[in-house]
Amino acid sequence: MASLYEAGRRGIPRPGRAWLGPARIGLVWWMFETRNGVWWMYLAPVHRMAQHAEVDAPAGVLYGLIADALRWPVFLPPTVHVEQLEFDGGSERLRMWVTANGEIKSWTTRRVLDPLAHRVEFRQEVLPRPVTSMGGSWSVEPRGPEKSLVTLRNDFAVADNARADVDWVRRATTANTRAALANLKQLAERWRRLDSLVLAFEESVHIDAGVEPVYAFLHRFGDRADAVPGALRVELSERAPGVQLMRVELPAAAGTTRTTESVRIGFPHAGRIVFKDIRDSEQPALLAAHAGEWSVEPDPFGEGVTVVARHHAVLDEDGVRERYGAGEQAVRVARQALRARLAEQSAAALGLARAYAEDAQVREHTEGALARRV
């Protein structure tokens, strides 16, 4: 493949910067670009990868987990957030944010869903450079009433077929595929009791203020030392425009500390901040996964806003067993404890947001009145 690529490069001038996009012909992608108003094209080798996992669960269960992309933030470790842009029942367009080699990457992808064949095909439409094409498929083959083989296939090409870029994408794809398949296996093999391990709830508060001050506070609330109940330290850093990493240090047993890290993605025009916990040093862990959203929703009658804190979580069954014991009762106790802990954190943040925004509202009115008198 390398010799074919080099032959194509020798016969065709170097491409420019304006992209029409890739078109697949045979085993390679023809890439089209413009330079000084002239179209150029060149060959980009396609790199292919596949990983498999044998799972003790029905094929329909696995397919359901794969098809439900909106819950991937708590189902698949690499996925931070998913927005569904289009859906017609058989295909969908998704905007996804994913961890890759320690970085946060975002792209738009189109998926075609085939529940009868237990297959999902995907092709990325908008990709971060230097990746020029990426796609593949999920397929689930029944191997018995409660046994399946799940396969994730990927293909990709990068600009100029640069070795460093190819290696970067290959490492990220290998690591993310391995993590996704391992978690799918773990979830699917608990399919009879999975509903009891998955938790979703929300808390809300009404605030007599506008959207902007409330959102501004939530966007930077990590600057407040008391933003997280009991926190010893909160650090907030901007990793990319609109993408934050929040690190929280908390007290733990026997005078030790535990550290959590979360990725936060802001949508200021929609008044939303979504988040996902990507690290928690707590052992034994009660949470296998946790993601959620802060949403600032204007009152339809123009009287303030409602701030909603939404949580989606999956209990760590091994952590529950070690901390509370085995059985359904232990799971119920763990769910109640987890919900209480997350609700306490939400209530504290919502209370601070209300105090900040309403105080800002009072200050604005006071300053406005003084200015009118002058």
Side-chain angles (χ1 to χ4, degrees):
M1 187 64 74
S3 59
L4 177 61
Y5 172 79
E6 292 301 331
R9 286 303 304 272
R10 284 195 297 271
I12 301 174
R14 185 176 182 83
R17 295 182 177 180
W19 286 76
L20 173 65
R24 183 179 174 187
I25 304 175
L27 298 178
V28 298
W29 287 84
W30 285 91
M31 310 307 299
F32 299 90
E33 306 186 37
T34 60
R35 188 179 63 183
N36 298 326
V38 179
W39 285 104
W40 303 82
M41 64 182 180
Y42 67 101
L43 297 176
V46 177
H47 302 269
R48 302 183 184 280
M49 306 171 64
Q51 292 190 50
H52 316 268
E54 294 183 350
V55 183
D56 293 330
V61 170
L62 272 163
Y63 174 82
L65 295 173
I66 294 166
D68 193 0
L70 293 181
R71 291 211 285 179
W72 276 14
V74 291
F75 284 170
L76 304 186
T79 306
V80 174
H81 181 62
V82 179
E83 293 271 321
Q84 188 178 66
L85 306 178
E86 298 174 13
F87 180 63
D88 63 9
S91 66
E92 61 184 350
R93 288 181 70 242
L94 304 171
R95 177 80 185 276
M96 308 182 74
W97 287 259
V98 177
T99 59
N101 291 339
E103 301 178 24
I104 306 298
K105 298 293 185 180
S106 178
W107 56 72
T108 302
T109 185
R110 180 172 292 278
R111 304 204 312 168
V112 178
L113 312 175
D114 188 344
L116 295 180
H118 297 141
R119 183 178 178 86
V120 177
E121 296 184 352
F122 57 90
R123 176 64 54 188
Q124 269 75 315
E125 295 181 335
V126 180
L127 281 161
R129 296 278 288 174
V131 182
T132 54
S133 73
M134 180 171 280
S137 66
W138 292 88
S139 60
V140 185
E141 303 172 36
R143 294 295 176 91
E146 293 189 11
K147 286 188 177 294
S148 305
L149 178 70
V150 57
T151 302
L152 175 53
R153 295 180 174 87
N154 289 279
D155 63 71
F156 69 89
V158 301
D160 294 335
N161 201 40
R163 175 59 60 85
D165 294 332
V166 171
D167 290 345
W168 192 97
V169 176
R170 191 181 296 277
R171 287 197 313 273
T173 303
T174 298
N176 284 6
T177 298
R178 185 177 295 121
L181 289 175
N183 219 58
L184 277 177
K185 175 181 173 68
Q186 186 179 63
L187 291 171
E189 290 182 347
R190 292 167 165 79
W191 65 280
R192 286 190 174 87
R193 54 193 184 279
L194 185 57
D195 286 345
S196 66
L197 298 174
V198 176
L199 177 67
F201 72 96
E202 63 182 47
E203 303 280 343
S204 64
V205 65
H206 185 269
I207 299 177
D208 293 323
V211 172
E212 291 77 8
V214 178
Y215 181 88
F217 176 82
L218 293 173
H219 180 68
R220 296 300 311 177
F221 86 98
D223 292 341
R224 290 279 299 258
D226 55 352
V228 179
L232 303 174
R233 184 173 59 180
V234 179
E235 296 178 0
L236 201 62
S237 60
E238 197 91 5
R239 291 303 177 92
V243 179
Q244 299 172 324
L245 178 68
M246 188 170 78
R247 182 179 290 108
V248 180
E249 187 176 315
L250 295 158
T256 61
T257 62
R258 56 181 274 247
T259 302
T260 67
E261 290 182 357
S262 304
V263 175
R264 292 160 39 100
I265 302 169
F267 301 90
H269 298 296
R272 299 170 58 219
I273 297 173
V274 299
F275 63 86
K276 177 178 178 175
D277 294 346
I278 58 172
R279 176 179 173 244
D280 190 340
S281 62
E282 180 183 38
Q283 294 296 330
L286 192 57
L287 275 170
H290 176 221
E293 173 182 342
W294 299 96
S295 178
V296 185
E297 303 170 3
D299 188 285
F301 302 103
E303 298 179 356
V305 299
T306 297
V307 186
V308 184
R310 297 183 175 91
H311 296 273
H312 304 276
V314 177
L315 287 168
D316 185 319
E317 196 172 37
D318 294 333
V320 170
R321 186 180 300 109
E322 185 171 343
R323 189 177 300 186
Y324 296 100
E328 296 179 4
Q329 178 61 26
V331 172
R332 283 195 291 269
V333 172
R335 285 174 63 93
Q336 293 170 359
L338 176 61
R339 175 165 182 158
R341 187 174 85 184
L342 295 177
E344 178 189 10
Q345 294 173 358
S346 295
L350 291 172
L352 291 172
R354 169 189 271 171
Y356 173 86
E358 291 182 352
D359 286 349
Q361 194 92 332
V362 170
R363 287 195 303 271
E364 181 180 342
H365 288 163
T366 302
E367 291 170 359
L370 290 174
R372 286 192 296 272
R373 289 178 184 175
V374 173

